[in-house]
Amino acid sequence: MNIPISIPDLSGKEFDYLLDAFSSTWISSRGKYIDAFEREFAVFCECNSGIAVSNGTAALHLALVALGIGEGDEVVVPDMTFAATINAVLHARAIPVIVDIEKDSWCIDPREIEKAITPKTKAIIPVHLFGQPCDMAAIMNIANRYNLYVIEDCAQAHGARYNGKKVGSFGNIGCFSFFGNKVITTGEGGMCVTNDSHLDGRLRLLRDHGMSRTKKYWHECIGYNYRMTNLQAAIGLAQLERVESILKKRSKIESDYRDYFAGNQSIEFQRNDINLTEKITWLVCILVDLKKRDFIIEKLKGYGIDIRPFFYSLSSMPIYNQYKFSSRNSEEVSQRGINFPTNYMVTESILSDIGKLLSVN
């Protein structure tokens, strides 16, 4: 048995579009698929502009630089997130400030954000962790009162909503990842979305070496090569055409897990009933007894079932600990968390196997 944590769904027009892009010879960072993917993804996110980039980390770094955040500036980030969030801040030469998460949502705690604000604070990066939207009403209220930028990290939350509005459309810039295990994929890739026309221009300038869009080889600023290829965008556009279907399939997989393990008091699923939020299923997430977590993971891996621990809390790692402001809830969630395989191979038989293995101490 070999059940991976995630499998990209490439059953649509991905190969057709990829072959078309290849045959056109527009295989680098220009072409019709780049334009179409940017346009259609912005529509999906209910934003005015989409700027395709090479990966999700590049999207975060580009957003920080476009907003003028740099040396000496503080940026508030959650303790529970993939390291790309904090690394992007450090790449921008800014100072990350790590704050705790809410116990229920596992997302950044607005109360801790406000406590951590100093005269040097310039931005907040709320991470919609595992498809769960952050409390964007509270976060935007704080940002408005303290005149702070908001960069949404939506790498795991394509299509999630808060109070009926898509994540990525609340802050100054929303950042997405299209890595192979994400809801939709381009293999590697990312996207910045924004409703600000000035930021749209700034992001595009910085993405392409800082080169003028009207005067070839004239560089207006020091930029980066953060471009997506037309080949990647071809795959992304085909994925995007089926994103609602993909989201429904992932949601059904999570429902199957919930139904199968209903009544199992040793498992605590990610909350899906938090007020005003409409989470999506990225990976099926549970909490188990801290003392049993690692044993469960190794046991299921031994049977070819790829279940994974949650991310380490940022503050638990020596290279980031100096930036910690608060971390109580994140430490517990990190140490108890498990991601189940979330793909079409998870059948009733596989659920039964997982259930049997979990029931054996």
Side-chain angles (χ1 to χ4, degrees):
M1 180 162 47
N2 181 21
I3 310 297
I5 191 77
S6 181
I7 302 172
D9 182 345
L10 303 174
S11 60
K13 296 180 179 179
E14 288 83 359
F15 185 73
D16 292 340
Y17 288 178
L18 180 60
L19 186 59
D20 182 50
F22 179 85
S23 299
S24 76
T25 73
W26 290 96
I27 62 172
S28 293
S29 56
R30 294 178 64 187
K32 68 178 184 180
Y33 288 105
I34 289 281
D35 297 336
F37 187 38
E38 288 183 333
R39 181 176 63 251
E40 295 304 319
F41 192 76
V43 171
F44 171 72
C45 294
E46 300 172 356
C47 289
N48 293 335
S49 302
I51 301 91
V53 295
S54 51
N55 55 64
T57 309
L60 289 166
H61 183 224
L62 201 63
L64 288 159
V65 176
L67 290 167
I69 294 166
E71 193 166 354
D73 295 333
E74 293 180 351
V75 180
V76 182
V77 301
D79 197 26
M80 264 293 288
T81 181
F82 183 59
T85 311
I86 192 170
N87 287 345
V89 176
L90 293 167
H91 287 317
R93 300 187 178 182
I95 304 166
V97 179
I98 299 170
V99 302
D100 203 5
I101 58 172
E102 296 177 315
K103 195 166 187 178
D104 290 340
S105 72
W106 308 344
C107 292
I108 193 167
D109 189 335
R111 293 167 297 184
E112 294 300 305
I113 293 173
E114 188 155 21
K115 290 177 189 175
I117 291 172
T118 74
K120 294 182 179 180
T121 307
K122 291 294 188 295
I124 307 165
I125 305 182
V127 178
H128 304 296
L129 192 72
F130 302 139
Q132 183 81 267
C134 299
D135 184 348
M136 292 309 298
I139 291 168
M140 295 309 298
N141 179 272
I142 292 168
N144 290 332
R145 284 191 287 115
Y146 290 92
N147 195 29
L148 304 177
Y149 295 120
V150 174
I151 300 169
E152 294 178 70
D153 186 337
C154 314
Q156 304 162 9
H158 310 58
R161 292 180 181 272
Y162 178 85
N163 198 21
K165 187 177 177 181
K166 290 277 185 74
V167 299
S169 65
F170 288 87
N172 301 91
I173 302 171
C175 299
F176 291 81
S177 169
F178 304 126
F179 183 63
N181 66 4
K182 297 303 190 291
V183 173
I184 64 171
T185 183
T186 58
E188 284 281 4
M191 187 87 73
C192 294
V193 295
T194 185
N195 287 311
D196 186 316
S197 59
H198 172 73
L199 283 176
D200 172 64
R202 185 72 178 159
L203 289 161
R204 293 183 189 281
L205 179 70
L206 288 163
R207 174 186 65 175
D208 190 11
H209 300 283
M211 185 165 57
S212 170
R213 298 177 66 196
T214 58
K215 191 176 179 180
K216 195 70 171 176
Y217 303 127
W218 183 265
H219 296 265
E220 299 177 7
C221 63
I222 299 171
Y224 310 89
N225 182 0
Y226 280 170
R227 299 168 298 189
M228 177 183 283
T229 70
N230 199 42
L231 297 174
Q232 291 171 295
I235 297 171
L237 184 63
Q239 289 270 286
L240 188 58
E241 289 176 350
R242 296 181 299 109
V243 64
E244 297 300 340
S245 171
I246 291 170
L247 286 168
K248 285 179 182 178
K249 288 177 183 178
R250 298 179 85 94
S251 179
K252 175 64 166 56
I253 294 167
E254 180 173 353
S255 294
D256 289 345
Y257 273 107
R258 289 179 182 272
D259 290 345
Y260 189 87
F261 291 105
N264 187 327
Q265 299 302 311
S266 65
I267 292 176
E268 181 183 338
F269 279 91
Q270 182 183 26
R271 291 279 299 275
N272 62 355
D273 59 351
I274 294 175
N275 188 40
L276 299 180
T277 66
E278 296 175 41
K279 71 173 283 294
I280 58 100
T281 302
W282 176 48
L283 297 176
V284 175
C285 305
I286 65 167
L287 300 181
V288 296
D289 188 307
L290 169 62
K291 296 177 182 178
K292 296 181 179 179
R293 198 275 301 268
D294 291 346
F295 171 76
I296 290 170
I297 291 172
E298 290 308 310
K299 186 171 196 175
L300 269 70
K301 278 184 174 291
Y303 283 86
I305 299 172
D306 187 12
I307 72 170
R308 298 185 183 181
F310 281 9
F311 307 125
Y312 286 100
S313 62
L314 294 177
S315 63
S316 70
M317 292 180 271
I319 59 171
Y320 304 127
N321 182 261
Q322 63 184 300
Y323 305 113
K324 180 175 79 170
F325 179 82
S326 57
S327 64
R328 181 178 179 180
N329 293 328
S330 55
E331 290 175 5
E332 178 186 350
V333 171
S334 171
Q335 292 169 9
R336 293 178 58 202
I338 287 176
N339 294 129
F340 276 140
T342 309
N343 61 71
Y344 69 87
M345 293 182 69
V346 180
T347 61
E348 188 173 343
S349 173
I350 296 300
L351 288 172
S352 177
D353 289 341
I354 292 173
K356 290 173 184 176
L357 291 167
L358 285 176
S359 67
V360 180
N361 294 323

